Amino acid sequence: MAAALVSLGVGSGAIASAATPPASPCSGAECPSLQPVNIAAGQGSLNVTQMQLENISATVVDAVSGEPVRGVQVQFYSAGGRLLGAAYTNHSGIAAIAASENLGPGTAQELLAGYDAVLLGDGVHTPASAHGAITVGDDFVPLGSLLFSDRGLKQGVVPVDWSR
């Protein structure tokens, strides 16, 4: 089933069959040869100006050594179980996505409930998951927050004598 979800693609809007993806058939004490990992989800944001999810990320580290785990796939799900996308961890153990969202009825509330970063058991590492928050953001910068100076404008102004 995990392969079927991945094949749908990033931001496809597919609904997972459960709020949490299925667990690996082998975990923890059942599979003592698997390397234990810890996963931490970062704080993401929903950019309402561009209708884009930003900073959706997770960091995967070896639970024993604390070293980053490279090259494992992390899947990202909305709190409602919808697959948002998947990414592989980089050399620092970080997997991240940015996904355009079609904000249909109830989607904003679902996204504001956060997201889950899930590492399914891959035969080498134990399964792990973490929950991350999603906040609302935008690209709007109020004019009052910018510092303006008319000094540059005054330097190029040549006085005109209108008395003639």
Side-chain angles (χ1 to χ4, degrees):
M1 180 171 171
L5 288 174
V6 174
S7 68
L8 292 173
V10 172
S12 66
I15 303 293
S17 62
T20 306
S24 172
C26 181
S27 65
E30 298 171 9
C31 299
S33 63
L34 294 181
Q35 297 174 357
V37 297
N38 291 329
I39 186 170
Q43 180 173 331
S45 64
L46 175 61
N47 183 323
V48 293
T49 304
Q50 297 179 358
M51 296 304 178
Q52 174 105 5
L53 283 173
E54 300 172 340
N55 304 319
I56 304 296
S57 66
T59 304
V60 181
V61 296
D62 185 283
V64 176
S65 69
E67 292 294 317
V69 177
R70 298 167 181 91
V72 295
Q73 186 183 56
V74 177
Q75 297 176 348
F76 299 93
Y77 293 87
S78 69
R82 186 163 37 108
L83 180 65
L84 300 173
Y88 287 91
T89 55
N90 63 13
H91 67 282
S92 299
I94 300 171
I97 63 167
S100 297
E101 277 300 314
N102 179 5
L103 296 179
T107 304
Q109 291 81 10
E110 179 184 328
L111 292 173
L112 292 178
Y115 69 96
D116 294 312
V118 178
L119 170 66
L120 298 175
D122 62 359
V124 177
H125 303 95
T126 59
S129 65
H131 184 77
I134 296 178
T135 59
V136 174
D138 60 29
D139 291 338
F140 179 72
V141 178
L143 289 177
S145 69
L146 299 175
L147 298 176
F148 286 103
S149 170
D150 62 353
R151 182 174 296 171
L153 295 174
K154 289 181 181 177
Q155 289 176 353
V157 174
V158 176
V160 176
D161 181 13
W162 294 98
S163 62
R164 295 191 225 178

